Amino acid sequence: MKNQFTRRQFLATAGAAASVTLLSEPLFDGASALAAVPLVRRDVGRMDASDPILLAYRKAIKAMQALPNTNPLSWAYQAAIHWTTLPGPPLTAWDSCEHGTPFFWSWHRMYLYWFERIIRKMCKEPCWALPYWDWAPGTELQLPAPFRDPASELYTVNRNPAMNTGAGSLNPLAIDIGPAFSNTNFLTANSLIQGPHGSVHVEVGGWMGSVPTAAQDPIFYLHHSNVDRQWNLWLAQGGGRTDPLTNATWKNKQYTFFDQNGAQVKMSACQILRAAQQLNAESSRRAQSRARQLPD
Ligand SMILES: [Cu+2]
């Protein structure tokens, strides 16, 4: 089962070593008067295929697919940062996903952080935010309909055919998030959530069913947007649930990504712990710069 998603654990290795530049701008802006225009990650189950967010995502995918694999902003390169089957020695940051480790939630949050910025740039929609696929027992068990249209950039034939026709749906028993949510220890919950997460991968199948190909499927990012949301929902339950801030290794281990300009950046978990505020800080910055660009 090497390279196949299972319900629990996936392989992981260190990413390729490389020299990188440090982030040059702060990630936290704090409150702003313009934060009244919040940037929100929305539920894809409440969107139809003509939703501007999905149209913009399609536009970005198309633009990224047109770039060569060696360009960090290309669809193939971004997917390869998770893991890849592309031939040749891995390029910077390829094959770096964390599964079966304490860094599962945090690494994937960093990955989405930069992916979201790249999509904004590629679709030229500064207020774009990644939707989430709210899979959980009793919610959205079918693959979201806009991802099942063969004419769309959101579609790939490389899935379980029944999921692609809409005839198939996720097995509620396999995607039970209850055990992860009821546990109050971060590292245990971070481990347990990988079970239902892996089941979604397996049941969507095709590219999604295998670590080296999973991130080529456009639904991957909405799936992980939901996993990311689950981290916040887990914390919001309280009862002693906290991020492991006393664990220096967990907080400070650095990973390499690329920003929206294709420049290497390093990031660690302690930089992405205020997800909602960071999304809104971004919105404020964008709104301000948009206002400055308006002709009158
Ligand atoms: Cu995953």
Side-chain angles (χ1 to χ4, degrees), residues 99 197 201 220 223-224:
H99 297 104
H197 144 268
H201 276 284
F220 172 96
H223 168 40
H224 268 278

Side-chain angles (χ1 to χ4, degrees), residues 62-134:
K62 197 171 179 177
M64 292 166 75
Q65 287 174 337
L67 297 174
N69 292 352
T70 51
N71 184 326
L73 304 186
S74 70
W75 188 256
Y77 200 113
Q78 282 296 304
I81 289 175
H82 186 263
W83 209 277
T84 189
T85 54
L86 287 172
L91 301 183
T92 300
W94 283 14
D95 301 342
S96 51
C97 69
E98 292 278 3
H99 297 104
T101 77
F103 307 102
F104 171 72
W105 255 336
S106 57
W107 184 87
H108 285 84
R109 175 169 288 176
M110 297 178 225
Y111 184 43
L112 298 187
Y113 181 95
W114 294 110
F115 177 80
E116 198 167 47
R117 278 157 180 74
I118 290 167
I119 295 291
R120 276 180 206 140
K121 167 131 184 185
M122 300 304 286
C123 69
K124 301 185 174 66
E125 291 291 345
C127 292
W128 191 87
L130 187 59
Y132 61 90
W133 174 15
D134 183 15

Side-chain angles (χ1 to χ4, degrees), residues 23-37:
L23 288 170
S24 58
E25 63 177 305
L27 293 173
F28 309 117
D29 274 355
S32 158
L34 289 177
V37 192

Side-chain angles (χ1 to χ4, degrees), residues 3 16 19 26 46 64 68 78 84 159 161 186 240 243-244 254 281:
N3 287 350
S19 67
R46 297 170 190 270
M64 292 166 75
Q78 282 296 304
T84 189
R159 291 178 185 140
F186 176 89
D243 292 326
Q254 287 194 316

